Amino acid sequence: MSANKESWGSRVGLILAMAGNAVGLGNFLRFPVQAVQNGGGAFIIPYLVCFFVMGIPLLFIEWSMGRFGGKYGYHSTPFIVDTMGKSRFWKYIGVFGIWTNIAVAAYYCYIESWTLSYVFHSIIGTFSGLDQDGVSNFFGEYVSLGVSTLGVPYEPIVFYILCLLLNTWILSQGLASGVERVAKIGMPMLILFGAFLAFKGFTITAGENGAINDSSVGLNFLWTPNFDQLWSPTVWLAAAGQIFFTLSVGMGTVQCYASYVRAKDDVALNAMSAGWMNEFVEVVLGSSILIPISIGYLGIDRVTELVQSGGLGLGFRALPYLFYQWGDFLGAFSGVMWFGLLFFAGITSSLAMGTPWIGFLMDEFNWRRKPAAWSFGVVVFVLGMPTVLFFKYGVFDEYDHWAGTVSLVVFALLETILFSWVFGIRKGWQEIISGADIQVPNIYKFIIKFITPILLLWVFLGSLFTPKGNDWSAALSGNWILDNSSIINRLANTSLKKQLAAATDPSQIEFLQDQIFFVNAARILLLSVWIILALLVYVAYKKRLREGRI
Amino acid sequence: MNTSALVVMLTTMLLVTALMIYFFVKVITIPPKPEPDSYLDNDDEVDRQVPKPQ
């Protein structure tokens, strides 16, 4: 018998935990940058369309798959998907639902530890008196394990370990007493902190406290619709991609949380409530902080330049400096609010990443929760250290690309095919509406069977064969040259090899050679972890056969 | 703000906020199903227990 007899404490707790799983750093750092890069206000149209035809269906699919697997005592995706398809290979597809979480947690907990560290540095006033370059250099030195302002050697590693210990301890307390309790505290705090910063974002006045623009300049920049961009496949792909990352679908965490819901209880309303809560945090709060404040103090040109390297640069290199334009006290206070909300967003997601592994060990090998939780901490630490130590060689980005991007699309595509075509939409639909507290529109039966898998396939193929410069019109007219960001060129290290061929400085050549080595080593490491997990699933399957449980 | 940006922003924010509140209010106002349900906190509430067959 499985040692896994856990339950959620309350329905609201489950929804907050599930919303916390979805709400992550990307809600505040990725969404506004994606919107700016893809047509401003017009991005919201493809974004919401993708939410309705891909996000909501995937939430329905994953919630109902989880509850279905839970009926048989399964709490992780390998055996949840195994109950839905007759072929034995499905359980190995389900390995993605554990692997992704372990690999993503390895680097995600590192970013989470930055936020924890920055809360601390905001409190002790590290950023007070620093100019913009000083704050930016602090971040550069921090991630390269440079000089520590606290006098603690390898400060980022210390914070990383602290963060992992905190995650592991919370996970060891169980679902209701650990994960759910943190969500019940973290989500309201996050919304409160976000509301305060959004208010500041909406009330910037040019000429006051060093601001060069009113809030309206940043908000115009973000929300003015550029309808010409609506016809660009790139914008639609970006919108679909954002929906993936923001909802944490294709990871296996939703199934894991939902597997603790009993068969007669609702999943449809729960899915909608958690999903829309995530959208509120992303669209309402996420769009009102980073861009309006940055543009208010730095101007459009500087922000346009900074967003090219993503939201992390703005969030960690610029905002701590900008907050201090409001004075020392408000600067420190806003720093605590900003990094505090990022920390709560991060930890509610990283806790979710631990639950599939713990569920798997408890279900299949009768581990108790505490040792299972600590084993998660150890595995994540071992797998995460290369991202910390070799950050400058791009190991962190490799993990993010393969585990945090490609794997989500692959798993979501395969689980959708399994749910609507192998398990069958008739049975699948019954699973969605069984015990439902809302009337699910029948149109979703059609969307789940046809639209969602086609969209997912398009997203996957679009990433596999991304045309050069995202120029789809040139590609579709016959001149299809692969972009270096396409999965195929990325796998072949095309960009790095080109840089190496063009390099003349011996130190740069050496650095690029090292980078290629570390990038390939990171891939081999990730692949090895996947294979080990697949072997564990095989051993668990054989154990089930021996015990007559299949 | 310019009119088109204001319209897009307000429409989106109001729509998303309204739907978030609507579904969350529905969750907290719909009566829970009789025991045994998925949640521990209400296990001891007397009026939610399924009567035992006579």
Side-chain angles (χ1 to χ4, degrees):
Chain A
M1 283 295 287
S2 165
N4 199 344
K5 303 279 182 217
E6 299 226 38
S7 288
W8 291 102
S10 65
R11 188 173 183 183
V12 170
L14 163 64
I15 287 168
L16 289 176
M18 199 65 99
N21 165 38
V23 171
L25 300 163
N27 291 53
F28 297 96
L29 300 175
R30 196 176 188 277
F31 170 76
V33 171
Q34 286 291 314
V36 166
Q37 290 174 340
N38 292 286
F43 176 74
I44 207 72
I45 296 171
Y47 174 84
L48 288 178
V49 170
C50 287
F51 180 63
F52 279 106
V53 299
M54 198 175 76
I56 290 175
L58 278 169
L59 287 174
F60 284 151
I61 289 172
E62 296 199 348
W63 273 84
S64 51
M65 277 176 82
R67 188 185 56 177
F68 181 77
K71 277 195 282 198
Y72 299 93
Y74 301 137
H75 303 91
S76 62
T77 50
F79 287 97
I80 290 177
V81 296
D82 193 54
T83 57
M84 305 184 82
K86 284 181 184 152
S87 171
R88 286 181 186 177
F89 91 98
W90 281 111
K91 57 180 153 300
Y92 300 105
I93 299 297
V95 170
F96 279 105
I98 300 178
W99 176 79
T100 303
N101 290 293
I102 290 176
V104 172
Y107 71 86
Y108 198 85
C109 286
Y110 187 39
I111 314 181
E112 199 179 303
S113 74
W114 300 350
T115 65
L116 190 63
S117 163
Y118 268 57
V119 167
F120 189 70
H121 281 290
S122 298
I123 292 170
I124 63 170
T126 303
F127 307 117
S128 172
L130 290 182
D131 60 12
Q132 199 193 330
D133 286 341
V135 172
S136 180
N137 291 341
F138 177 88
F139 180 72
E141 283 191 1
Y142 188 87
V143 294
S144 59
L145 309 180
V147 180
S148 161
T149 47
L150 296 175
V152 182
Y154 297 109
E155 186 187 318
I157 297 178
V158 172
F159 273 100
Y160 180 53
I161 292 171
L162 270 178
C163 198
L164 273 181
L165 285 174
L166 185 63
N167 271 280
T168 308
W169 180 76
I170 295 167
L171 282 168
S172 73
Q173 300 304 300
L175 271 188
S177 310
V179 175
E180 184 177 336
R181 193 169 286 177
V182 169
K184 280 178 168 171
I185 298 168
M187 285 303 289
M189 294 286 276
L190 181 152
I191 291 174
L192 192 70
F193 291 179
F196 167 78
L197 291 167
F199 172 75
K200 294 296 291 181
F202 270 100
T203 53
I204 295 168
T205 308
E208 282 183 14
N209 301 320
I212 55 173
N213 290 310
D214 287 340
S215 299
S216 58
V217 177
L219 293 169
N220 277 336
F221 182 65
L222 188 62
W223 288 105
T224 300
N226 176 0
F227 290 108
D228 293 341
Q229 293 256 41
L230 265 184
W231 308 110
S232 159
T234 308
V235 173
W236 283 85
L237 269 176
Q242 182 59 27
I243 285 296
F244 256 108
F245 305 125
T246 191
L247 293 173
S248 295
V249 286
M251 288 186 79
T253 47
V254 174
Q255 289 96 328
C256 180
Y257 275 7
S259 66
Y260 296 95
V261 175
R262 282 176 185 256
K264 68 171 184 180
D265 280 321
D266 162 273
V267 289
L269 176 59
N270 286 354
M272 292 298 276
S273 181
W276 282 103
M277 202 175 283
N278 173 72
E279 290 312 295
F280 170 78
V281 173
E282 175 148 298
V283 175
V284 179
L285 299 180
S287 67
S288 307
I289 301 172
L290 190 70
I291 299 293
I293 294 177
S294 306
I295 288 183
Y297 289 92
L298 299 175
I300 290 178
D301 292 343
R302 178 80 179 121
V303 170
T304 311
E305 185 189 323
L306 283 169
V307 296
Q308 298 310 316
S309 57
L312 276 182
L314 268 181
F316 285 86
R317 288 178 187 272
L319 280 198
Y321 164 72
L322 303 183
F323 291 148
Y324 272 95
Q325 307 311 301
W326 301 335
D328 275 355
F329 173 74
L330 212 52
F333 185 72
S334 302
V336 172
M337 297 277 124
W338 171 242
F339 294 109
L341 86 83
L342 290 183
F343 176 71
F344 284 127
I347 196 164
T348 46
S349 301
S350 59
L351 289 174
M353 293 171 204
T355 46
W357 168 253
I358 293 170
F360 176 69
L361 289 183
M362 290 172 74
D363 289 346
E364 306 306 326
F365 299 105
N366 298 323
W367 283 41
R368 281 175 297 114
R369 183 157 193 108
K370 278 192 170 59
W374 287 103
S375 73
F376 174 74
V378 171
V379 171
V380 168
F381 176 72
V382 171
L383 197 60
M385 278 313 284
T387 68
V388 179
L389 297 173
F390 310 117
F391 183 83
K392 66 175 176 179
Y393 293 111
V395 172
F396 182 101
D397 290 337
E398 277 309 294
Y399 277 47
D400 184 36
H401 182 72
W402 298 109
T405 311
V406 177
S407 169
L408 307 188
V409 183
V410 170
F411 186 52
L413 173 62
L414 294 172
E415 74 180 359
T416 306
I417 292 170
L418 169 70
F419 185 85
S420 40
W421 292 90
V422 179
F423 186 62
I425 192 63
R426 195 179 52 79
K427 280 198 280 178
W429 186 251
Q430 280 308 313
E431 282 302 315
I432 292 170
I433 60 171
S434 159
D437 286 333
I438 49 168
Q439 176 84 35
V440 184
N442 275 323
I443 183 74
Y444 270 105
K445 204 189 278 189
F446 174 79
I447 292 174
I448 288 171
K449 187 164 184 182
F450 297 105
I451 308 288
T452 309
I454 289 171
L455 254 177
L456 287 166
L457 188 64
W458 178 57
V459 171
F460 176 65
L461 293 177
S463 314
L464 194 65
F465 304 112
T466 315
K468 195 174 176 63
N470 278 312
D471 188 352
W472 286 86
S473 52
L476 293 171
S477 63
N479 185 24
W480 201 307
I481 302 168
L482 289 179
D483 192 75
N484 287 339
S485 65
S486 66
I487 293 175
I488 291 177
N489 272 9
R490 181 136 184 165
L491 201 58
N493 290 327
T494 308
S495 173
L496 285 173
K497 283 177 184 166
K498 271 186 189 163
Q499 288 176 52
L500 188 60
T504 50
D505 180 2
S507 62
Q508 196 193 357
I509 291 173
E510 192 185 354
F511 178 81
L512 285 167
Q513 284 170 337
D514 287 346
Q515 192 170 1
I516 291 175
F517 168 79
F518 281 111
V519 160
N520 287 332
R523 289 172 192 166
I524 291 169
L525 183 61
L526 290 174
L527 182 64
S528 308
V529 173
W530 195 95
I531 292 169
I532 290 168
L533 289 172
L535 284 171
L536 282 176
V537 169
Y538 176 74
V539 171
Y541 169 66
K542 287 289 180 191
K543 185 168 172 286
R544 279 180 176 272
L545 277 181
R546 273 199 314 276
E547 293 170 357
R549 289 197 287 155
I550 289 183
Chain B
M1 284 181 75
N2 66 52
T3 311
S4 58
L6 194 63
V7 168
V8 173
M9 185 183 83
L10 288 179
T11 310
T12 308
M13 287 187 171
L14 289 174
L15 175 79
V16 169
T17 307
L19 284 167
M20 187 272 285
I21 292 171
Y22 171 76
F23 286 116
F24 192 67
V25 167
K26 220 167 165 57
V27 164
I28 53 179
T29 52
I30 280 184
K33 297 196 168 61
E35 291 293 343
D37 70 354
S38 311
Y39 312 108
L40 295 172
D41 289 358
N42 55 17
D43 284 357
D44 299 330
E45 290 173 18
V46 180
D47 55 337
R48 295 192 53 254
Q49 309 302 319
V50 177
K52 285 187 180 139
Q54 298 296 315

